[in-house]
């Protein structure tokens, strides 16, 4: 599948398996976009996205924020979840109802019922930015899935194995697509290739990724 100047998911309703308990739900978020975007603007006003520093001292290329009871953050002191935005000392914005509904419906559709996230990472990509291969393992209970929603310009998602050097699947993601992985696939390495230059008709030169987790 190639981008071919497409923005919305080209096969809404289609499910693509990435592993025994991992899949892409094409276009699953499209019907929620009219409610997602205003809620996203509220979050960005309350907790503006910022580029975090890794424990090794590297500045991440993407900018990040959070909503929910807990938010993921990084500094030279390590990766961790906090109840407050370290930049302001204020609690993270509450998770909007539409965010929670979308995360639950996508998880259930992918075979992970009864998922109730308490954290949503809001990742802001511009052309040229990327996310290195990593595992999501800072959560208290790894029995819950990850739900990842793509909005805006396309990107290529990398979905690998259980070692960083394992081969990766290269999965094009479009506006409205949702990736869900859990169970035996929960600790697979994953990342995002450098985002190509593009402009979405609504979000402009941006890709927004909403990543839902049960952290506490």
């Amino acid at each position: 599948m190639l981008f071919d100047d497409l923005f919305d998911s080209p096969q809404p309703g289609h499910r693509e398996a990435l592993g025994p308990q991992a899949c892409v739900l094409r276009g699953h978020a499209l019907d929620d976009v009219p409610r997602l975007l205003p809620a996203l603007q509220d979050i960005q006003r309350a907790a503006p996205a910022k580029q975090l520093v890794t424990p090794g001292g590297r500045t991440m290329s993407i900018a990040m924020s959070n909503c929910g009871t807990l938010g993921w953050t990084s500094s030279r002191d390590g990766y961790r979840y906090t109840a407050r935005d370290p930049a302001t000392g204020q609690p993270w914005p509450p998770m909007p109802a539409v965010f929670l509904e979308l995360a639950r419906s996508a998880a259930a559709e992918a075979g992970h019922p009864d998922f109730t996230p308490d954290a949503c990472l809001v990742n802001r990509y511009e052309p040229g930015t990327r996310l290195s291969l990593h595992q999501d393992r800072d959560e208290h209970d790894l029995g819950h899935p990850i739900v990842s929603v793509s909005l805006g310009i396309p990107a290529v998602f990398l979905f690998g194995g259980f070692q960083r050097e394992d081969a990766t699947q290269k999965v094009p993601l479009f506006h409205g697509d949702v990736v869900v992985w859990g169970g035996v696939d929960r600790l697979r390495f994953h990342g995002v290739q450098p985002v190509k230059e593009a402009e979405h008709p609504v979000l402009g030169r941006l890709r927004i990724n909403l990543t839902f987790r049960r952290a506490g």
Side-chain angles (χ1 to χ4, degrees), residues 10 16 21 28 79 85 106 112 129 132 140 154 161 173 194 210:
E16 296 177 15
Q21 293 183 281
H28 186 86
Y79 304 121
D85 184 345
H112 303 278
T129 58
S132 300
H140 178 70
L173 295 179
L210 307 176

Side-chain angles (χ1 to χ4, degrees), residues 28-43 96-103 149-151 175-176 178 210 212:
H28 186 86
L30 287 176
D31 289 344
D32 293 312
V33 166
R35 296 170 60 207
L36 288 173
L37 296 184
L40 179 61
Q41 291 178 340
D42 291 342
I43 292 166
V98 63
F99 279 36
L100 185 59
E101 292 164 10
L102 173 58
V149 179
S150 291
L151 300 172
H175 182 67
V178 182
L210 307 176
F212 295 93

Side-chain angles (χ1 to χ4, degrees), residues 5 18 25 39 57 60 69 72 86 103 117 119 126 132 134 148 155 165 176 197 211 213:
D5 297 324
L18 301 180
L25 304 175
M60 297 177 67
T69 305
W72 186 89
E126 297 180 5
S132 300
H134 65 284
S148 177
E165 62 271 18
E197 183 67 46
T211 302
R213 307 175 183 177

Side-chain angles (χ1 to χ4, degrees), residues 129-211:
T129 58
R130 62 189 292 268
L131 188 61
S132 300
L133 285 173
H134 65 284
Q135 294 171 302
D136 292 340
R137 58 183 314 139
D138 298 321
E139 297 72 38
H140 178 70
D141 183 353
L142 299 179
H144 299 281
I146 304 293
V147 175
S148 177
V149 179
S150 291
L151 300 172
I153 61 177
V156 175
F157 180 64
L158 302 174
F159 195 65
F162 299 102
Q163 304 295 325
R164 190 182 302 275
E165 62 271 18
D166 289 347
T168 59
Q169 300 179 61
K170 295 178 173 60
V171 185
L173 295 179
F174 301 85
H175 182 67
D177 287 342
V178 182
V179 183
V180 183
W181 65 100
V184 298
D185 294 313
R186 175 63 172 73
L187 287 178
R188 288 187 181 271
F189 277 84
H190 56 281
V192 176
Q193 283 188 342
V195 175
K196 294 183 178 181
E197 183 67 46
E199 185 164 351
H200 188 267
V202 176
L203 291 173
R205 296 174 64 254
L206 289 177
R207 174 181 187 255
I208 301 294
N209 171 244
L210 307 176
T211 302

